[in-house]
Amino acid sequence: MRLFTAIKLDDDMREQLISAQDKLRSIGLRGRYNKEDSFHLTLAFIGEYDDPQAVTDALARVRFEPFMLRLSGEVGQFDGFVVWAGLEMTDELRALGEAVRQELSAAGIPFDQKAFNPHITLLRLARGEEIDAAPEVSVGSAEMNVEHFLLMRTAKDRNGFYYAEIGRFGK
Ligand code: 2AM
């Protein structure tokens, strides 16, 4: 099964992200816009892995303290087609990203080794669409208290892909 670890966002933060998506739509950008109930911040992407219990055991060893998460206001893009909203990289967020990755490594669980670059995907651009390197669109401010992080599974039903929570760590 396809696994990743993530932080789910609260309503305030989701609202800011929805209005950023509305602005991107209003400047005419076409693409696959993420649904509001699937907004999340990925901490580590594991991908196909068939032993969720081993992952749960590893994540349970992460020492977690609640912390504040803030949108940075920045909108950027990866690879020319993923358009994202940034988060402020605080010591606490960096430490959580590192702790998750360290426990996965210690348990021999493979994950995407790309550097942790905290972002929330807003949309994936349609083919042929382009956005300026520094788009005029920004995201309003919002902050939330993070009380846990999640192990998620990407699943599919007749309506397409969705994300299912399979483990919760923290408070
Ligand atoms: P994203 O965080 O940039 O949106 C489930 O696929 C989640 O894991 C998505 O949020 C996805 O991208 C993230 N992810 C990180 N690295 C990935 C990779 N190498 N392949 C697929 N998804 C990845």
Side-chain angles (χ1 to χ4, degrees), residues 42-67:
T42 301
L43 295 168
F45 177 77
I46 297 162
E48 281 303 322
Y49 196 74
D50 284 328
D51 189 353
Q53 188 59 51
V55 182
T56 302
D57 292 347
L59 295 176
R61 287 192 281 271
V62 171
R63 265 199 248 152
F64 178 86
E65 288 292 335
F67 66 98

Short mmCIF file of all heavy atoms in Angstrom, two decimals, residues 42-67:
data_model
loop_
_atom_site.label_atom_id
_atom_site.label_comp_id
_atom_site.label_asym_id
_atom_site.label_seq_id
_atom_site.Cartn_x
_atom_site.Cartn_y
_atom_site.Cartn_z
N THR A 42 2.96 17.04 3.98
CA THR A 42 3.67 15.76 4.02
C THR A 42 4.99 15.91 4.78
O THR A 42 5.78 16.81 4.48
CB THR A 42 3.95 15.26 2.58
OG1 THR A 42 2.70 15.12 1.90
CG2 THR A 42 4.66 13.92 2.58
N LEU A 43 5.21 15.02 5.75
CA LEU A 43 6.48 15.02 6.49
C LEU A 43 7.48 14.09 5.85
O LEU A 43 8.67 14.38 5.76
CB LEU A 43 6.23 14.59 7.94
CG LEU A 43 5.36 15.53 8.78
CD1 LEU A 43 4.95 14.85 10.08
CD2 LEU A 43 6.10 16.84 9.06
N ALA A 44 7.00 12.92 5.43
CA ALA A 44 7.86 11.96 4.72
C ALA A 44 6.96 11.10 3.84
O ALA A 44 5.89 10.68 4.28
CB ALA A 44 8.62 11.08 5.71
N PHE A 45 7.41 10.88 2.61
CA PHE A 45 6.65 10.06 1.67
C PHE A 45 7.31 8.68 1.60
O PHE A 45 8.47 8.56 1.20
CB PHE A 45 6.62 10.72 0.29
CG PHE A 45 5.92 9.89 -0.74
CD1 PHE A 45 4.52 9.82 -0.75
CD2 PHE A 45 6.63 9.15 -1.67
CE1 PHE A 45 3.85 9.03 -1.68
CE2 PHE A 45 5.97 8.36 -2.60
CZ PHE A 45 4.59 8.30 -2.61
N ILE A 46 6.58 7.66 2.02
CA ILE A 46 7.12 6.30 2.07
C ILE A 46 6.86 5.58 0.75
O ILE A 46 7.71 4.87 0.23
CB ILE A 46 6.50 5.54 3.28
CG1 ILE A 46 6.93 6.25 4.57
CG2 ILE A 46 6.93 4.07 3.28
CD1 ILE A 46 6.10 5.90 5.78
N GLY A 47 5.68 5.77 0.21
CA GLY A 47 5.35 5.08 -1.05
C GLY A 47 4.91 3.65 -0.78
O GLY A 47 4.47 3.32 0.33
N GLU A 48 5.06 2.77 -1.78
CA GLU A 48 4.58 1.39 -1.65
C GLU A 48 5.34 0.65 -0.55
O GLU A 48 6.56 0.54 -0.61
CB GLU A 48 4.77 0.64 -2.97
CG GLU A 48 3.73 0.93 -4.03
CD GLU A 48 2.30 0.64 -3.56
OE1 GLU A 48 2.08 -0.36 -2.83
OE2 GLU A 48 1.39 1.40 -3.94
N TYR A 49 4.59 0.18 0.44
CA TYR A 49 5.21 -0.55 1.55
C TYR A 49 4.13 -1.39 2.20
O TYR A 49 3.06 -0.88 2.53
CB TYR A 49 5.82 0.44 2.56
CG TYR A 49 6.79 -0.20 3.51
CD1 TYR A 49 8.06 -0.57 3.09
CD2 TYR A 49 6.43 -0.46 4.83
CE1 TYR A 49 8.95 -1.18 3.96
CE2 TYR A 49 7.32 -1.06 5.71
CZ TYR A 49 8.58 -1.42 5.26
OH TYR A 49 9.46 -2.02 6.13
N ASP A 50 4.41 -2.69 2.40
CA ASP A 50 3.32 -3.57 2.80
C ASP A 50 3.28 -3.95 4.26
O ASP A 50 2.55 -4.86 4.64
CB ASP A 50 3.32 -4.83 1.91
CG ASP A 50 2.77 -4.49 0.54
OD1 ASP A 50 1.90 -3.59 0.48
OD2 ASP A 50 3.23 -5.08 -0.46
N ASP A 51 4.06 -3.25 5.09
CA ASP A 51 4.05 -3.58 6.52
C ASP A 51 3.70 -2.33 7.33
O ASP A 51 4.58 -1.73 7.97
CB ASP A 51 5.42 -4.15 6.91
CG ASP A 51 5.44 -4.71 8.32
OD1 ASP A 51 4.42 -4.55 9.04
OD2 ASP A 51 6.47 -5.30 8.70
N PRO A 52 2.42 -1.91 7.32
CA PRO A 52 2.06 -0.68 8.03
C PRO A 52 2.32 -0.77 9.53
O PRO A 52 2.59 0.25 10.18
CB PRO A 52 0.56 -0.51 7.74
CG PRO A 52 0.08 -1.83 7.25
CD PRO A 52 1.26 -2.53 6.65
N GLN A 53 2.32 -2.00 10.08
CA GLN A 53 2.59 -2.14 11.51
C GLN A 53 4.02 -1.72 11.85
O GLN A 53 4.26 -1.04 12.86
CB GLN A 53 2.33 -3.60 11.95
CG GLN A 53 2.40 -3.79 13.46
CD GLN A 53 1.38 -2.92 14.22
OE1 GLN A 53 0.20 -2.93 13.88
NE2 GLN A 53 1.84 -2.15 15.20
N ALA A 54 4.96 -2.08 10.97
CA ALA A 54 6.35 -1.68 11.20
C ALA A 54 6.47 -0.16 11.16
O ALA A 54 7.21 0.45 11.95
CB ALA A 54 7.26 -2.31 10.14
N VAL A 55 5.72 0.48 10.26
CA VAL A 55 5.76 1.94 10.16
C VAL A 55 5.14 2.56 11.41
O VAL A 55 5.68 3.50 12.00
CB VAL A 55 5.01 2.43 8.88
CG1 VAL A 55 5.12 3.94 8.77
CG2 VAL A 55 5.59 1.76 7.63
N THR A 56 4.01 2.00 11.84
CA THR A 56 3.35 2.49 13.05
C THR A 56 4.30 2.38 14.25
O THR A 56 4.43 3.33 15.04
CB THR A 56 2.06 1.68 13.32
OG1 THR A 56 1.24 1.79 12.17
CG2 THR A 56 1.31 2.19 14.51
N ASP A 57 4.97 1.25 14.38
CA ASP A 57 5.91 1.06 15.50
C ASP A 57 7.02 2.11 15.45
O ASP A 57 7.41 2.66 16.48
CB ASP A 57 6.52 -0.34 15.46
CG ASP A 57 5.48 -1.42 15.75
OD1 ASP A 57 4.38 -1.08 16.22
OD2 ASP A 57 5.77 -2.61 15.47
N ALA A 58 7.54 2.37 14.24
CA ALA A 58 8.64 3.34 14.11
C ALA A 58 8.14 4.74 14.48
O ALA A 58 8.80 5.48 15.22
CB ALA A 58 9.19 3.32 12.69
N LEU A 59 6.96 5.10 14.00
CA LEU A 59 6.45 6.46 14.24
C LEU A 59 6.09 6.67 15.71
O LEU A 59 6.19 7.78 16.23
CB LEU A 59 5.25 6.75 13.33
CG LEU A 59 5.59 6.78 11.83
CD1 LEU A 59 4.32 6.99 11.01
CD2 LEU A 59 6.62 7.87 11.49
N ALA A 60 5.70 5.58 16.37
CA ALA A 60 5.36 5.68 17.79
C ALA A 60 6.60 6.04 18.62
O ALA A 60 6.47 6.50 19.76
CB ALA A 60 4.75 4.37 18.28
N ARG A 61 7.79 5.84 18.06
CA ARG A 61 9.03 6.16 18.79
C ARG A 61 9.43 7.64 18.63
O ARG A 61 10.36 8.11 19.26
CB ARG A 61 10.17 5.26 18.33
CG ARG A 61 10.02 3.82 18.85
CD ARG A 61 11.30 3.02 18.64
NE ARG A 61 11.41 2.56 17.26
CZ ARG A 61 10.89 1.41 16.81
NH1 ARG A 61 10.26 0.59 17.63
NH2 ARG A 61 11.03 1.07 15.55
N VAL A 62 8.73 8.38 17.74
CA VAL A 62 9.04 9.80 17.57
C VAL A 62 8.58 10.55 18.80
O VAL A 62 7.45 10.40 19.25
CB VAL A 62 8.29 10.36 16.32
CG1 VAL A 62 8.43 11.88 16.23
CG2 VAL A 62 8.81 9.69 15.05
N ARG A 63 9.49 11.36 19.36
CA ARG A 63 9.08 12.17 20.52
C ARG A 63 8.38 13.41 20.00
O ARG A 63 8.98 14.21 19.30
CB ARG A 63 10.30 12.55 21.35
CG ARG A 63 10.45 11.55 22.48
CD ARG A 63 11.32 12.10 23.56
NE ARG A 63 12.55 11.33 23.56
CZ ARG A 63 13.71 11.80 23.94
NH1 ARG A 63 13.83 13.05 24.34
NH2 ARG A 63 14.77 11.04 23.93
N PHE A 64 7.11 13.54 20.33
CA PHE A 64 6.31 14.61 19.77
C PHE A 64 5.87 15.60 20.83
O PHE A 64 5.37 15.21 21.88
CB PHE A 64 5.06 14.02 19.08
CG PHE A 64 4.16 15.07 18.53
CD1 PHE A 64 4.37 15.58 17.25
CD2 PHE A 64 3.12 15.58 19.29
CE1 PHE A 64 3.56 16.59 16.75
CE2 PHE A 64 2.30 16.59 18.79
CZ PHE A 64 2.52 17.09 17.52
N GLU A 65 6.08 16.88 20.55
CA GLU A 65 5.56 17.95 21.41
C GLU A 65 4.69 18.84 20.53
O GLU A 65 5.09 19.20 19.42
CB GLU A 65 6.73 18.83 21.92
CG GLU A 65 7.60 18.18 22.95
CD GLU A 65 6.89 17.96 24.28
OE1 GLU A 65 5.91 18.69 24.55
OE2 GLU A 65 7.30 17.04 25.00
N PRO A 66 3.49 19.22 21.00
CA PRO A 66 2.65 20.13 20.21
C PRO A 66 3.41 21.41 19.85
O PRO A 66 4.26 21.86 20.63
CB PRO A 66 1.48 20.44 21.15
CG PRO A 66 1.42 19.27 22.07
CD PRO A 66 2.82 18.82 22.27
N PHE A 67 3.11 21.97 18.70
CA PHE A 67 3.79 23.20 18.27
C PHE A 67 2.88 23.97 17.31
O PHE A 67 1.89 23.44 16.83
CB PHE A 67 5.14 22.89 17.61
CG PHE A 67 5.01 22.13 16.30
CD1 PHE A 67 5.06 22.80 15.08
CD2 PHE A 67 4.81 20.75 16.29
CE1 PHE A 67 4.94 22.11 13.88
CE2 PHE A 67 4.68 20.05 15.09
CZ PHE A 67 4.75 20.73 13.89
#
